Amino acid sequence: MKATILIRPKAGILDPQGLAVETGLSHLGFNVQNAHVGRLVELDVSATDAADARAQIERMCEQLLANPLIESYEIVVEAAA
Protein backbone atom coordinates (compact mmCIF):
# COMPACT_ATOMS: atom_id res chain seq x y z
CA MET A 1 0.00 0.00 0.00
CA LYS A 2 1.15 3.52 -0.76
CA ALA A 3 0.53 6.10 1.92
CA THR A 4 0.85 9.86 2.10
CA ILE A 5 0.84 11.61 5.46
CA LEU A 6 0.32 15.38 5.67
CA ILE A 7 1.55 16.76 9.00
CA ARG A 8 0.61 20.30 10.03
CA PRO A 9 0.89 22.47 13.13
CA LYS A 10 -2.38 22.53 15.10
CA ALA A 11 -4.36 25.76 15.16
CA GLY A 12 -3.00 28.21 17.70
CA ILE A 13 0.45 26.58 17.84
CA LEU A 14 3.46 28.80 17.19
CA ASP A 15 4.75 28.09 13.67
CA PRO A 16 8.07 29.93 13.21
CA GLN A 17 8.61 28.51 9.71
CA GLY A 18 5.13 29.60 8.66
CA LEU A 19 5.78 33.06 10.08
CA ALA A 20 9.05 33.26 8.13
CA VAL A 21 7.25 32.29 4.90
CA GLU A 22 4.47 34.80 5.58
CA THR A 23 6.98 37.59 6.32
CA GLY A 24 9.13 36.77 3.29
CA LEU A 25 6.17 36.73 0.93
CA SER A 26 4.88 40.01 2.40
CA HIS A 27 8.30 41.59 1.79
CA LEU A 28 8.08 40.43 -1.83
CA GLY A 29 4.76 42.20 -2.22
CA PHE A 30 2.38 39.25 -1.84
CA ASN A 31 -0.68 39.72 0.37
CA VAL A 32 -0.49 36.49 2.41
CA GLN A 33 -1.89 35.78 5.86
CA ASN A 34 -1.64 32.76 8.11
CA ALA A 35 1.04 30.76 6.29
CA HIS A 36 1.67 27.36 7.84
CA VAL A 37 4.53 25.02 7.06
CA GLY A 38 4.12 21.28 7.48
CA ARG A 39 5.65 18.06 6.24
CA LEU A 40 4.75 15.46 3.66
CA VAL A 41 5.76 11.85 4.28
CA GLU A 42 5.31 9.18 1.60
CA LEU A 43 5.60 5.50 2.52
CA ASP A 44 5.20 2.07 0.97
CA VAL A 45 3.61 -0.06 3.68
CA SER A 46 3.29 -3.85 3.73
CA ALA A 47 -0.31 -4.41 4.77
CA THR A 48 -3.16 -6.84 4.12
CA ASP A 49 -5.59 -4.05 3.20
CA ALA A 50 -6.15 -0.30 3.49
CA ALA A 51 -7.53 -0.56 7.03
CA ASP A 52 -4.42 -2.45 8.18
CA ALA A 53 -2.17 0.12 6.47
CA ARG A 54 -4.05 3.00 8.11
CA ALA A 55 -3.79 1.36 11.55
CA GLN A 56 -0.04 0.87 11.13
CA ILE A 57 0.42 4.47 9.98
CA GLU A 58 -1.65 5.80 12.89
CA ARG A 59 0.80 4.07 15.25
CA MET A 60 3.76 5.45 13.26
CA CYS A 61 2.37 8.97 13.53
CA GLU A 62 1.69 8.69 17.25
CA GLN A 63 5.13 7.23 17.99
CA LEU A 64 7.46 9.05 15.58
CA LEU A 65 6.18 10.94 12.55
CA ALA A 66 4.11 13.61 14.31
CA ASN A 67 3.95 15.22 17.73
CA PRO A 68 0.25 14.78 18.55
CA LEU A 69 0.39 17.54 21.16
CA ILE A 70 1.18 20.25 18.60
CA GLU A 71 0.58 18.66 15.19
CA SER A 72 -2.32 17.15 13.33
CA TYR A 73 -1.98 14.70 10.49
CA GLU A 74 -3.99 13.39 7.58
CA ILE A 75 -3.43 9.94 6.12
CA VAL A 76 -4.21 8.98 2.52
CA VAL A 77 -3.83 5.28 1.64
CA GLU A 78 -4.05 3.81 -1.85
CA ALA A 79 -3.23 0.46 -3.37
CA ALA A 80 0.25 0.20 -4.88
CA ALA A 81 0.28 0.25 -8.66
Side-chain angles (χ1 to χ4, degrees), residues 6 22 29 39-40 42 50 53 58 67:
L6 302 170
E22 183 180 329
R39 295 183 312 283
L40 171 78
E42 295 178 325
E58 286 278 344
N67 180 342

Side-chain angles (χ1 to χ4, degrees), residues 10-22:
K10 287 184 176 179
I13 296 296
L14 180 63
D15 179 8
Q17 291 175 318
L19 183 57
V21 168
E22 183 180 329

